[in-house]
Amino acid sequence: MDIQAKDRIFRFSKTLTLLYLSTDKNDNSINYFKAIFKEIIYLDNEVDIFKKFNENEISILITDTEIPNLDVFTLISTIRQINPKIISIIYSHNDEKETFIKAISCGVNGYLSKPLDENQFLAILNKFIETEKTKVDTFFLKKQYDAIVDENTIVSKTDKHGIITFANENFCKSSEYSSEELIGKSHNIVRHPENPKELFKDLWQTIKVKKEPWTGVLKNLSKSGKPYFIKTTIKPVFDLNGEIVEYISVRSNVNTVMSDKKQLIEKINENGLHLLILIQIEDFDILDKFYNMLIVDKIEKIFGFNLLTYLPNSYIFDTIYYLGNGQFALLTEFFDFLATHTNINDYLSSFVKNVKESRLIVDEIEYDLNVIVSYSFGREHLYEDSKCGLDEAIKKSEIVKYSNDFSIKEQIEAKKNMEIIKMVKIALENYNVISYFQPIINNKTKQIEKYESLVRIVDENGNILSPHSFLEISKKGNYYNKITHRVLENSFKILKQISTKISINLSSLDIEKEETRTKLYQLLDEYESDRNRVIFELLEDENVKDFKIIKNFIRKVKSMGVMIAIDDFGSGYSNFERLLEFNPDILKIDGKLIKNIVNDIYSRNIVETIVTFTKKQNIITIAEFVENEEIFNILDELGVDYSQGYYFGKPKNMNLI
């Protein structure tokens, strides 16, 4: 068989799904079938045969005759009744005459003997192609036609004067006019008055004078007054003399043609200078948690459908890219946008305002949506820049963010973070994660009764680094737990050198980690006689995942004699209800309140309220950031029990061995 004939057969076979029945363990032909068919479904028993037929569009059946508990000839007859067009081939070692007769009687298309003879196999396929050529050609033509005119395509025809002579069903659906209302009218019936006059001047110049196709985006108005956008191609139709006899227009509704991130990246990577706009529905994560998945999906789709209607009229984008999680993108040639002399910041600010002032209706319920926008232009790192800019805008609660070169800034930040992670790793390996201890003073006796354990790192140059320079980054690099364990070891070890209590900071992240809880229990058992001198100071954290774990931990350690303190009480997240749940022994008053207490009556009133409450609940109070005598005197007057700050002593290393 010549190469051209093979190519023709392979083009045909690549459109087919094969169901292959065989129990031959040494069958090497399966790899050949995989190479020439679109898809192959392999079975070695009869159990799932009809299930596979129902789930897949199977075009060809190849089967051995030796399938246990299965009469393959009855099977072929049954399947041909279900699908008369299926190609069926027997492929077997069995070459007995009786088997041939059965195969012919059940109507198989061919019989192959093992091992596979490629020419014989291709000859069977070729015979089928010739027999079914008309059907196959029709199939391919239909596939091509369906690809061109899909369910979203809007088609109309006009005479040479622009009067509508034909409108398909999709035209009627999108415009909300019936075909009777459209035919005999000009397209002005659906034209939005906000379309620039220059646009139509260019349109008629192209199709009527130049006699060339015109492509662009038009803003239309439905019968009910709803604006929508269509990407339009209008082409003149000529008679034998080259004169225009009519125009045919093929359109797609821009709002429903929403591409994905992959298509966006591919488009960006094309040569040219682009403008990219990223749009994020604000607080979408909250929306996603508050409503069910079906409602959120509808909100996204309807917002995407209406997105272009929120844009100012000075420029209309022809493609919306849906990126998931309430995020969308708009992309255009930068110079096309520049030619409109539109100020990008004013343009996007108007867009944000239009979204804010609109109402999104889903299942008769109104939703107020806000958006955050970032934009960048250029040839390289366009998506990365805009994405980093959008993250920054969300973090800083900005509405519109220019984000060129933001990815470079992020790379610099990432490099800096990696250097910190490396420094932490080296410090852990060299036991340079150490603890400093700051004294806590009894306000009545002015004697040290407690120390707070504070983590420090000694870098390779001998510099002492405080936690703000490495702790948050360590969480992202998975070194946070190791630091916590080292601090716990240091803190418990100091109990042998001092007679006072030790206060150890714990976050919800620490307590929720089973590994850290186990470490704590081990240390409490090891230092059983000193448990009554241990205070666990719980750091306020809005990201508590499991309050039950926290409460159970508190209950257990308190039963072992450990005291519980709540840190930074009086800050934004602290509340009295939490106190009742955690049942603390000590409250550490937020340092921001203490620092301002001399000149800020509001801070003083809050501290006074906290002290009054704690006295009634028999809870001890500690004030942090006591920097001078004036602050101390006010706290003592208000009845605060303990003070901690530079006025009484800075954190210091107790020379742990």
Side-chain angles (χ1 to χ4, degrees), residues 136-156 166 168-170 248 250:
V136 172
D137 288 346
T138 303
F139 169 78
F140 279 110
L141 286 171
K142 186 178 184 304
K143 292 286 273 187
Q144 292 177 59
Y145 178 80
D146 289 346
I148 295 168
V149 184
D150 64 11
E151 62 181 11
N152 292 316
T153 303
I154 299 165
V155 181
S156 67
F166 168 79
N168 76 341
E169 185 179 350
N170 284 321
I248 185 165
V250 180

Side-chain angles (χ1 to χ4, degrees), residues 68-127:
N69 304 317
L70 179 65
D71 181 349
V72 296
F73 305 108
T74 302
L75 171 70
I76 292 171
S77 298
T78 304
I79 286 175
R80 288 181 67 82
Q81 288 176 5
I82 298 170
N83 181 9
K85 296 179 181 180
I86 195 165
I87 307 169
S88 54
I89 298 173
I90 296 290
Y91 178 40
S92 176
H93 286 295
N94 190 337
D95 56 1
E96 296 176 1
K97 181 180 178 182
E98 183 179 326
T99 306
F100 278 103
I101 293 171
K102 284 184 178 180
I104 293 167
S105 64
C106 72
V108 297
N109 296 93
Y111 197 104
L112 290 172
S113 296
K114 292 185 177 181
L116 183 69
D117 182 323
E118 183 186 30
N119 287 331
Q120 186 183 3
F121 175 60
L122 294 180
I124 294 171
L125 287 183
N126 188 51
K127 181 181 177 183

Side-chain angles (χ1 to χ4, degrees), residues 439-449 629 632-633 636 641-643 647-648:
I440 300 173
I441 307 299
N442 184 314
N443 286 352
K444 298 303 179 190
T445 66
K446 294 190 180 180
Q447 298 298 309
I448 298 173
E449 292 190 8
E629 185 178 5
F632 170 75
N633 289 336
D636 192 30
D641 299 305
Y642 290 85
S643 292
Y647 179 56
F648 293 105

Side-chain angles (χ1 to χ4, degrees), residues 329-343:
L330 302 171
L331 184 73
T332 190
E333 295 289 335
F334 177 71
F335 290 113
D336 287 351
F337 186 88
L338 201 63
T340 64
H341 305 289
T342 301
N343 181 292

Side-chain angles (χ1 to χ4, degrees), residues 87 132 159 193 203 351 361 391 420 494 577 629-630 653:
I87 307 169
E132 302 289 316
D159 62 20
L203 186 159
F351 166 68
I361 300 175
D391 293 341
I420 293 172
I494 201 68
E577 185 179 353
E629 185 178 5
E630 192 175 6
N653 187 352

Side-chain angles (χ1 to χ4, degrees), residues 506-513 517 521 538-541 543-558 564 566 578 581-583:
L506 291 176
S507 69
S508 62
L509 187 64
D510 294 321
I511 299 170
E512 287 174 343
K513 274 279 186 184
R517 294 200 306 276
Y521 298 144
L538 306 186
L539 304 175
E540 284 288 64
D541 190 350
N543 298 314
V544 176
K545 294 177 183 175
D546 194 333
F547 277 110
K548 187 177 180 181
I549 288 177
I550 308 292
K551 289 167 72 174
N552 288 341
F553 171 79
I554 291 171
R555 191 180 301 114
K556 182 170 181 177
V557 296
K558 279 174 74 73
I564 294 295
I566 300 292
R578 179 72 55 79
E581 291 183 0
F582 286 174
N583 189 24

Side-chain angles (χ1 to χ4, degrees), residues 74-244:
T74 302
L75 171 70
I76 292 171
S77 298
T78 304
I79 286 175
R80 288 181 67 82
Q81 288 176 5
I82 298 170
N83 181 9
K85 296 179 181 180
I86 195 165
I87 307 169
S88 54
I89 298 173
I90 296 290
Y91 178 40
S92 176
H93 286 295
N94 190 337
D95 56 1
E96 296 176 1
K97 181 180 178 182
E98 183 179 326
T99 306
F100 278 103
I101 293 171
K102 284 184 178 180
I104 293 167
S105 64
C106 72
V108 297
N109 296 93
Y111 197 104
L112 290 172
S113 296
K114 292 185 177 181
L116 183 69
D117 182 323
E118 183 186 30
N119 287 331
Q120 186 183 3
F121 175 60
L122 294 180
I124 294 171
L125 287 183
N126 188 51
K127 181 181 177 183
F128 181 84
I129 292 172
E130 292 299 325
T131 305
E132 302 289 316
K133 189 173 188 307
T134 303
K135 295 178 183 177
V136 172
D137 288 346
T138 303
F139 169 78
F140 279 110
L141 286 171
K142 186 178 184 304
K143 292 286 273 187
Q144 292 177 59
Y145 178 80
D146 289 346
I148 295 168
V149 184
D150 64 11
E151 62 181 11
N152 292 316
T153 303
I154 299 165
V155 181
S156 67
K157 289 198 296 184
T158 70
D159 62 20
K160 60 183 180 180
H161 303 295
I163 302 302
I164 299 171
T165 58
F166 168 79
N168 76 341
E169 185 179 350
N170 284 321
F171 191 113
C172 297
K173 283 181 181 177
S174 62
S175 68
E176 300 175 357
Y177 288 99
S178 66
S179 59
E180 291 79 10
E181 290 174 306
L182 292 167
I183 292 173
K185 305 287 195 310
S186 75
H187 276 100
N188 288 339
I189 191 173
V190 293
R191 265 320 118 71
H192 199 290
E194 292 176 351
N195 284 298
K197 292 180 181 179
E198 293 77 13
L199 184 146
F200 294 107
K201 185 177 179 181
D202 175 63
L203 186 159
W204 283 108
Q205 176 74 15
T206 303
I207 63 174
K208 190 172 183 178
V209 180
K210 295 181 181 178
K211 297 183 178 180
E212 295 174 354
W214 179 89
T215 298
V217 176
L218 297 172
K219 188 174 185 178
N220 280 2
L221 198 64
S222 70
K223 187 178 180 180
S224 65
K226 183 179 179 180
Y228 63 100
F229 294 85
I230 52 173
K231 188 172 183 178
T232 305
T233 297
I234 303 172
K235 186 175 182 179
V237 179
F238 307 97
D239 61 16
L240 293 174
N241 298 318
E243 297 298 320
I244 296 172

